[in-house]
Amino acid sequence: MPINPESYRALALQVTCHAVNQATDCHEVRSLMQNSINRLAQQIAASIAFIGFDCRLIVLPEYFLTGFPMGDSLSGWAEKACIEMAGAEYEALGKIAQKHKIFLAGNAYEVDPNFPGLYFQTCFILDPSGSIVLRYRRLNSLFAPTPHDVWDKYLDCYGLEGVFPVAKTEIGNLAALASEEILYPEVARCLAMRGAEIFVHSTSEVYNKNLTPKDAAKITRAVENMAYVVSANTAGIANIAIPIASADGGSKIIDHRGIVVAETGAGESMAAFAEIDLAGLRRDRRRPGLNNLLSRQRFELYAESYRQSHFYPANTMLEGEVDRKHFLQTQQATIERLAKLEII
């Protein structure tokens, strides 16, 4: 029976991140990443068998192949633990997507030949052919390079559509948000302006039975953009000094009305799956009335205020290599400048 692209299931797959920080060289890192992909292949196959073959979208957690850098220099982490844009890891993940005829979304540290010595935290989506149909680089990060840090050159390379990409696919218009970027409404809004209907959100965050700022933001991003949020958290980060369960649990799916339709607790789990009612979302987006927030946006009201405001500076990493002190030093300088201006 053919699968209806306007009504299918999505899964926020909560799996353990096996960190590679203790590996001695890039060859050991590649072996550890391949082990993680092999585990994922089995978990994805078993999850689809349980959920049903109309599971068309699977979202993986943040930096699920490596964990995050701890003490490595920017160029050191780029060489040791970052994957290439057409690397073997994407090829292996593409084969999983191809085998199961799914859209597979995740997040990884990635090098770009246009920016030697740097890396970007990249959200990706693979389609059922195994091809990358979306590559989004995280725009807000306290400890990692972003396109904004090399803004002029990045725009020359990829243009604004490459900064805010939306993949228009048979299962809807897909866009990605990375981790804490759920707290930045402008990122989601710029993607919604380009037609995003489903936000895939790869994250690694503290889970709490009480409402956290990030969980509140997930609901808010869904409501204000009339879009689904499929948010996959890690089931802990193994092999680093931080206690393993510090970022574990709470993967969820939120519909375009802000209703949490699926959620899981702690531990590795495929329990956060739900139907994506794309036809219902599109009906509501085209229905006049008070609740159609997307159609009621008056962006001209805000454009000049944004144009006149300068907070965190762009292009701070265009010239030469910097060390990790750069990020906090830049933030501190920004705070001092805003304080002098009596903005904060």
Side-chain angles (χ1 to χ4, degrees):
M1 185 176 72
I3 295 172
N4 180 2
E6 291 194 332
S7 178
Y8 60 90
R9 286 180 169 180
L11 165 64
L13 184 57
Q14 188 167 285
V15 293
T16 304
C17 169
H18 294 264
V20 302
N21 304 76
Q22 296 179 26
T24 55
D25 57 41
C26 62
H27 299 293
E28 186 180 354
V29 169
R30 293 296 177 271
S31 177
L32 292 170
M33 286 196 282
Q34 187 57 54
N35 289 343
S36 291
I37 293 172
N38 293 342
R39 280 191 299 272
L40 276 170
Q42 295 177 333
Q43 291 172 320
I44 287 171
S47 297
I48 291 172
F50 182 88
I51 294 169
F53 293 100
D54 64 340
C55 182
R56 300 295 312 281
L57 172 64
I58 294 181
V59 181
L60 302 173
E62 184 182 19
Y63 44 65
F64 64 95
L65 289 176
T66 60
F68 56 90
M70 295 179 67
D72 296 88
S73 66
L74 295 180
S75 58
W77 186 254
E79 182 179 353
K80 173 182 175 181
C82 296
I83 64 178
E84 296 179 357
M85 293 175 67
E89 293 77 20
Y90 283 130
E91 184 179 353
L93 291 165
K95 288 179 180 177
I96 296 173
Q98 197 172 24
K99 178 179 179 180
H100 298 290
K101 298 180 176 61
I102 59 172
F103 288 82
L104 182 62
N107 174 278
Y109 289 105
E110 180 183 73
V111 289
D112 184 329
N114 292 304
F115 301 93
L118 298 182
Y119 59 82
F120 298 108
Q121 194 178 351
T122 299
C123 294
F124 61 86
I125 301 176
L126 295 150
D127 72 4
S129 75
S131 301
I132 294 177
V133 293
L134 183 138
R135 173 176 272 115
Y136 165 80
R137 266 73 180 266
R138 179 173 172 169
L139 297 170
N140 297 276
S141 178
L142 186 57
F143 297 115
T146 77
H148 187 247
D149 297 316
V150 288
W151 186 235
D152 291 346
K153 184 177 179 181
Y154 200 90
L155 286 177
D156 287 343
C157 292
Y158 298 109
L160 198 58
E161 295 307 310
V163 176
F164 297 108
V166 175
K168 298 189 175 180
T169 77
E170 64 195 68
I171 63 166
N173 298 342
L174 309 178
L177 297 168
S179 188
E180 69 157 356
E181 285 198 309
I182 202 75
L183 297 171
Y184 292 79
E186 294 86 356
V187 179
R189 184 68 91 199
C190 285
L191 294 167
M193 287 176 181
R194 290 164 170 80
E197 297 171 316
I198 300 163
F199 294 119
V200 298
H201 178 234
S202 296
T203 189
S204 183
E205 63 189 58
V206 174
Y207 171 59
N208 198 303
K209 291 181 180 178
N210 298 319
L211 188 67
T212 67
K214 288 182 182 178
D215 276 336
K218 292 168 197 175
I219 294 171
T220 305
R221 299 295 85 80
V223 170
E224 67 195 7
N225 295 298
M226 302 180 73
Y228 276 85
V229 174
V230 183
S231 178
N233 195 17
T234 48
I237 306 176
N239 305 321
I240 57 173
I242 295 172
I244 187 171
S246 298
D248 179 5
S251 297
K252 56 178 58 65
I253 298 177
I254 302 163
D255 75 6
H256 64 286
R257 302 165 296 172
I259 298 171
V260 178
V261 292
E263 184 173 9
T264 189
E268 292 202 317
S269 176
M270 43 128 279
F273 69 88
E275 180 183 7
I276 302 295
D277 182 8
L278 195 59
L281 177 152
R282 289 172 174 173
R283 282 196 304 272
D284 283 350
R285 281 185 166 193
R286 294 168 187 171
R287 178 179 285 134
L290 190 68
N291 292 327
N292 193 336
L293 299 179
L294 200 57
S295 67
R296 297 173 60 202
Q297 294 306 315
R298 301 170 187 252
F299 295 130
E300 294 80 5
L301 290 174
Y302 324 120
E304 193 57 35
S305 292
Y306 274 101
R307 198 169 4 256
Q308 293 178 6
S309 297
H310 302 282
F311 280 42
Y312 195 97
N315 291 317
T316 65
M317 298 177 70
L318 271 179
E319 302 297 332
E321 186 172 346
V322 300
D323 61 29
R324 290 198 176 277
K325 295 177 184 176
H326 166 83
F327 300 108
L328 286 176
Q329 288 171 345
T330 305
Q331 185 188 35
Q332 186 61 46
T334 300
I335 291 170
E336 291 172 2
R337 179 169 52 82
L338 295 177
K340 284 181 181 179
L341 294 170
E342 298 185 343
I343 293 174
I344 60 173

